[in-house]
Amino acid sequence: MSTCCRFLRSVPIAALFAALLLPVFGQESETRADEKKNQPRARFICVAALAENQELILATRDDEGKWLELGPVKLRSSFITDWMPAKAGQLYLTVRDGETLKSIGQFNYPADARRALVVLLPDPGKNIYNSFVVDPEKPGFAKGSVLAVNFSKQTGMLLLGKTKVSVPSGQRVVAKPSLEDNGMYRLMVAYQDAGNKPVVCYDRYLSGNPDSRDMLFLFPDPTLGLRVFSLPVFGELD
């Protein structure tokens, strides 16, 4: 009898069967993990909430117009939610209204986006949220960089260390600060007045963090000209 046959007779059938199937199960587990990793997910950045600790429901509609709930969303001012399951297409932030749902905000999740950052801006007069969607993997929004979004009607001028950036009205720009030897950089925001002179409205000395993506929002302000709001996004996008 050959050595191979003697070996097979000495190995329990159950153990041999498990050894043969293990690679298959491993491949299936990796496939499921990859599928889960690539499922659409959204993260909400609430600049200011309509109501503190507000509980909303992320929802979509089916072909017949019926509501389909995707999951709860809890908001408060200056807050970033965890990643939550989403779906490509038109999505709604809703509240319960009797037996149905009522939309108080909506946005379009890009069909080709694996992840989406949804910036929420409240409109207290209408009691709704306006939204601004960012695909963090599209504009090169890498760790250590700053995404500046200008919601005002004036061009914003940014100084990120020695890096100078202009952000036109309604536009967004991604830039990487130039750090000093101590890891710090100066963040200055200005705009031009009627005489084309720069007016500084924000001036800070910040620490550069290689593990964060910083979001910088520019809003109109009757006193300062531009109001600056910043939020860091730490960690991975998964």
Side-chain angles (χ1 to χ4, degrees):
M1 182 180 296
S2 68
T3 302
C4 179
C5 291
R6 287 197 300 270
F7 171 74
L8 291 175
R9 290 183 60 185
S10 65
V11 176
I13 297 299
L16 181 62
F17 186 69
L20 291 173
L21 289 183
L22 187 59
V24 177
F25 288 142
Q27 292 173 0
E28 290 181 351
S29 297
E30 290 179 1
T31 300
R32 285 196 295 269
D34 289 340
E35 290 176 351
K36 185 177 180 180
K37 181 178 180 180
N38 291 321
Q39 287 177 349
R41 289 184 175 271
R43 198 172 192 180
F44 295 93
I45 301 173
C46 183
V47 176
L50 291 170
E52 286 305 304
N53 298 316
Q54 189 174 27
E55 295 190 7
L56 305 179
I57 301 164
L58 180 64
T60 184
R61 291 182 182 272
D62 63 16
D63 294 337
E64 298 178 353
K66 295 180 179 179
W67 288 112
L68 298 175
E69 297 184 16
L70 298 179
V73 181
K74 294 185 178 181
L75 299 179
R76 62 178 184 269
S77 297
S78 303
F79 180 67
I80 303 177
T81 70
D82 292 331
W83 291 105
M84 64 175 298
K87 186 178 181 181
Q90 196 72 18
L91 299 181
Y92 303 85
L93 285 170
T94 67
V95 293
R96 295 205 181 277
D97 185 18
E99 298 296 323
T100 186
L101 299 177
K102 176 184 177 182
S103 173
I104 61 169
Q106 63 185 53
F107 62 95
N108 186 64
Y109 191 108
D112 59 347
R114 190 178 70 94
R115 296 289 181 264
L117 296 172
V118 185
V119 182
L120 300 178
L121 305 169
D123 185 337
K126 297 180 179 179
N127 198 35
I128 62 171
Y129 286 102
N130 295 314
S131 60
F132 181 85
V133 180
V134 177
D135 181 344
E137 296 174 321
K138 280 293 174 63
F141 189 26
K143 289 182 180 180
S145 62
V146 174
L147 170 63
V149 185
N150 190 353
F151 294 98
S152 77
K153 295 182 179 180
Q154 305 181 82
T155 296
M157 297 180 293
L158 274 59
L159 182 66
L160 305 168
K162 294 181 180 180
T163 303
K164 295 181 179 180
V165 179
S166 292
V167 188
S169 173
Q171 300 298 310
R172 60 188 178 189
V173 174
V174 176
K176 195 164 185 177
S178 53
L179 305 182
E180 299 177 6
D181 293 339
N182 59 3
M184 306 285 288
Y185 72 97
R186 183 184 184 185
L187 170 59
M188 186 175 69
V189 179
Y191 68 95
Q192 287 184 331
D193 63 13
N196 293 326
K197 294 181 179 180
V199 179
V200 176
C201 51
Y202 187 88
D203 195 350
R204 298 287 187 277
Y205 199 53
L206 305 177
S207 175
N209 191 327
D211 193 46
S212 75
R213 298 170 173 86
D214 293 340
M215 303 191 75
L216 191 69
F217 307 123
L218 308 180
F219 299 106
D221 187 277
T223 302
L224 299 174
L226 286 177
R227 179 166 60 92
V228 180
F229 184 89
S230 62
L231 279 175
V233 180
F234 293 96
E236 301 300 329
L237 295 176
D238 295 319

